[in-house]
Amino acid sequence: MRVFTYIGLAAAILMTASCKKYLSEEPKKQASIKTVDQLEALVDNATVFSREENYTATYATDDTEISRELYKNNVTAFTVNNLQRYVSSPEGIENLATDELWTGEYKKIFTANVILKNIDLVSGDEASRRRVKADAHFIRAMSYWILVNNYCAPYVAANMNSLGLPLKRSVDYEESLKRATLKETYDFILADIEEAKKVAEADVDPRKTWRVSQKAISAFMSRYYLFTGDYDKSLAESNNALASGTVSLVDYNSLLPGRSVSYSNPAATLRYSELNDWNAAKYLYWNELYYSRYQYTGAQWYIPSSALVALYDQTNDLRYKHLMIPNGGRRFSVVTPAAYRYTMFTDGSTLVSGPTRAEMLLNKAEVLARKGDVQNALSAVNTLRQKRMSTYSALTAANKDEAIKQVLAERRRELPFVMRWYDIRRFSVNDYAADNITVKRDFYQVSTTGVNLSTPKTYTLESKHLVVPINGVEIDASKGQLQQNPY
């Protein structure tokens, strides 16, 4: 049984749900909605709308590595739930007790629908009404983009008639849970974006990065078009976003040391940057953000693979110095083998996943590289590197293929654990041979009940595993309406 409660900051709206699972729950409005300020208070609950619990992105890619030795010596440091995602077991993932990403994003969609249902009925000034309405459409569009890029097949013409998502347009619990097609899902996202574009604010408000603006929409659409293969539009949106007067790159040379932590038996000192100590009161205002979104992992341990660590210049790359913590497993009493830990905010639980200036430069660089404009592609990516290196060294390339390789390596260094899952999906349907990625796991046999240490097993992330199964509890609660992904 799952119970959830929303309390708006205005203390005017209370929504609850009973025993039925999320998409089939009946919302019960306990207090009347009278003013636009009450709806705006929902939008301003930034810690709720900015948080994504995407454990597939955290564990299912080649950015993460849990070696046999690491697990065997430290079995209590890992949950079976996360191991199911690590080996990409469809049956295991389907049978988990809950799916935090599915539930969390549909809660945001539900709240957006509450706003849209009431926005033209409440009292308040027209400017605020217009702003809040645009916010609700953008919230819903972003949530559906995240969901479609986890639970549906990758975007390509051959998949347009495959299963999309249940498109919730209202707060009516009797609304159909039948999955739309993939095309209908993407059309729904674009329709929401068109409504969001009616917002008056041209640029990002650094005091409220969780509110929509024209530049935030451009940043999102740069990502959207990159993932749908419309490179010309992605480039145009990247350039538009980069014209922001309020969003800037953070120079990692300016980051201060954070609190160090020392351990004994054997002795070790872990040195973090100041970012590790930041909570929402600070990270919500990260200067690079066009729109606040953060990936949250409750285990607080992003475990970088040896391949990911090897991509960094360990002498000069400040992303390695500040964010890659050698022997970081000591935070969880892991002594042998010594294991890295990647950490950004709130003691390693939180990474930036919303569109940033860094991502815009990477999107621009990738598009230009794929179009054969090597010089301008490297210029864009090197603009980023100038803010990430203690001693700057420019990337170079002699041709298109080398440029693409350099740009994608920089993308992986900049956006580990957050964008890799999405990138692997889009690469899988590209017609560029060098994009092909095979993720292998040399681990043990994992079942729904645990791990068999006596049976080593190699897993391969196959194309069918690039679609996350919908939680079986949600399937059962839909009473036949919600179809499972084929696998």
Side-chain angles (χ1 to χ4, degrees):
M1 181 181 298
R2 187 189 312 163
V3 179
F4 69 85
T5 304
Y6 280 100
I7 303 177
L9 297 183
I13 303 169
L14 177 64
M15 295 173 285
T16 64
S18 59
C19 301
K20 299 177 182 178
K21 294 302 167 182
Y22 190 74
L23 285 186
S24 56
E25 292 170 334
E26 178 180 3
K28 298 177 182 179
K29 187 170 66 175
Q30 301 292 341
S32 61
I33 304 169
K34 298 180 179 179
T35 70
V36 70
D37 289 345
Q38 293 172 332
L39 297 176
E40 189 162 30
L42 289 174
V43 175
D44 281 334
N45 195 1
T47 54
V48 171
F49 282 111
S50 67
R51 178 162 152 172
E52 302 167 10
E53 293 191 60
N54 191 344
Y55 295 105
T56 296
T58 299
Y59 292 104
T61 78
D62 51 358
D63 279 352
T64 298
E65 184 176 16
I66 305 172
S67 68
R68 289 172 184 164
E69 182 186 13
L70 177 59
Y71 180 76
K72 187 173 183 178
N73 291 348
N74 306 278
V75 295
T76 59
F78 307 95
T79 68
V80 173
N81 286 7
N82 291 336
L83 293 174
Q84 297 285 2
R85 287 152 172 143
Y86 179 66
V87 300
S88 299
S89 166
E91 296 82 4
I93 295 169
E94 179 185 349
N95 288 299
L96 297 179
T98 188
D99 183 337
E100 296 86 352
L101 184 66
W102 177 273
T103 301
E105 296 308 314
Y106 269 109
K107 283 182 180 180
K108 293 168 192 170
I109 290 165
F110 180 84
T111 305
N113 286 339
V114 168
I115 293 170
L116 294 173
K117 177 183 178 181
N118 290 280
I119 192 64
D120 293 326
L121 306 176
V122 297
S123 64
D125 67 275
E126 188 57 32
S128 295
R129 192 190 317 276
R130 178 182 177 184
R131 173 73 184 263
V132 173
K133 189 173 184 179
D135 279 314
H137 280 291
F138 193 63
I139 287 167
R140 194 166 68 178
M142 281 209 72
S143 287
Y144 271 118
W145 188 89
I146 290 164
L147 290 166
V148 78
N149 278 283
N150 278 274
Y151 301 96
C152 305
Y155 186 100
V156 69
N159 290 336
M160 286 297 102
N161 290 322
S162 66
L163 290 174
L165 295 166
L167 300 179
K168 303 293 286 184
R169 298 173 173 85
S170 73
V171 296
D172 184 358
Y173 81 100
E174 293 183 342
E175 188 175 12
S176 174
L177 303 179
K178 182 180 178 181
R179 297 176 70 168
T181 66
L182 191 66
K183 182 181 185 304
E184 290 167 339
T185 304
Y186 276 96
D187 287 347
F188 191 71
I189 293 170
L190 287 177
D192 265 340
I193 290 298
E194 286 304 309
E195 290 298 317
K197 285 180 178 178
K198 296 176 182 179
V199 67
E201 284 70 18
D203 212 340
V204 178
D205 182 350
R207 300 164 300 177
K208 289 190 174 183
T209 56
W210 53 90
R211 303 300 295 269
V212 70
S213 66
Q214 295 293 339
K215 287 293 185 283
I217 293 170
S218 284
F220 171 75
M221 293 309 295
S222 166
R223 180 188 291 184
Y224 178 97
Y225 287 126
L226 181 67
F227 278 75
T228 57
D230 195 332
Y231 292 150
D232 288 337
K233 287 184 179 179
S234 179
L235 179 60
E237 297 288 4
S238 294
N239 284 330
N240 190 39
L242 288 167
S244 169
T246 62
V247 178
S248 60
L249 285 176
V250 174
D251 188 342
Y252 276 31
N253 286 282
S254 69
L255 295 180
L256 300 174
R259 289 177 291 178
S260 297
V261 181
S262 295
Y263 299 88
S264 59
N265 193 30
T269 299
L270 305 187
R271 293 181 171 84
Y272 299 97
S273 79
E274 61 175 308
L275 302 183
N276 190 64
D277 301 328
W278 284 18
N279 57 23
K282 294 195 72 173
Y283 69 64
L284 283 172
Y285 307 97
W286 182 241
N287 289 351
E288 298 193 359
L289 274 165
Y290 291 92
Y291 189 78
S292 289
R293 276 280 191 155
Y294 297 88
Q295 184 169 310
Y296 171 83
T297 295
Q300 297 180 271
W301 192 6
Y302 295 91
I303 310 169
S305 64
S306 55
L308 176 61
V309 172
L311 287 175
Y312 293 88
D313 173 348
Q314 297 184 13
T315 301
N316 297 305
D317 197 321
L318 294 171
R319 291 166 296 195
Y320 175 85
K321 177 180 178 180
H322 292 311
L323 308 179
M324 286 284 184
I325 311 300
N327 209 14
R330 292 298 296 274
R331 169 69 175 77
F332 310 102
S333 301
V334 172
V335 176
T336 304
Y340 277 88
R341 180 183 181 223
Y342 185 87
T343 173
M344 195 167 190
F345 301 128
T346 55
D347 194 20
S349 67
T350 307
L351 305 180
V352 175
S353 61
T356 63
R357 193 170 188 89
E359 184 190 343
M360 293 306 100
L361 288 167
L362 290 165
N363 290 357
K364 177 178 180 176
E366 181 179 340
V367 169
L368 291 171
R370 291 187 186 278
K371 292 167 69 71
D373 188 345
V374 173
Q375 181 177 351
N376 285 318
L378 292 176
S379 176
V381 78
N382 284 325
T383 297
L384 171 62
R385 284 178 64 82
Q386 289 174 13
K387 302 294 185 180
R388 298 299 193 252
M389 310 293 288
S390 57
T391 300
Y392 169 65
S393 60
L395 296 179
T396 61
N399 53 52
K400 172 182 174 178
D401 291 339
E402 286 184 13
I404 294 172
K405 181 178 179 180
Q406 292 278 37
V407 169
L408 293 182
E410 189 71 13
R411 182 178 179 88
R412 195 171 171 193
R413 285 187 286 266
E414 180 67 26
L415 304 169
F417 304 101
V418 173
M419 293 305 296
R420 187 63 171 171
W421 164 256
Y422 300 103
D423 285 341
I424 289 174
R425 280 172 47 90
R426 69 181 172 98
F427 293 160
S428 73
V429 293
N430 280 0
D431 57 5
Y432 182 64
D435 278 345
N436 294 334
I437 294 171
T438 300
V439 180
K440 288 190 175 182
R441 307 296 200 198
D442 291 322
F443 198 63
Y444 299 102
Q445 187 176 62
V446 180
S447 70
T448 55
T449 57
V451 178
N452 186 344
L453 290 173
S454 64
T455 310
K457 183 175 179 178
T458 297
Y459 293 85
T460 301
L461 180 63
E462 301 174 9
S463 59
K464 65 181 180 180
H465 296 156
L466 294 173
V467 181
V468 179
I470 296 174
N471 189 270
V473 177
E474 301 286 354
I475 297 289
D476 293 342
S478 75
K479 298 181 179 179
Q481 293 185 76
L482 193 58
Q483 291 178 265
Q484 183 56 280
N485 299 323
Y487 60 81

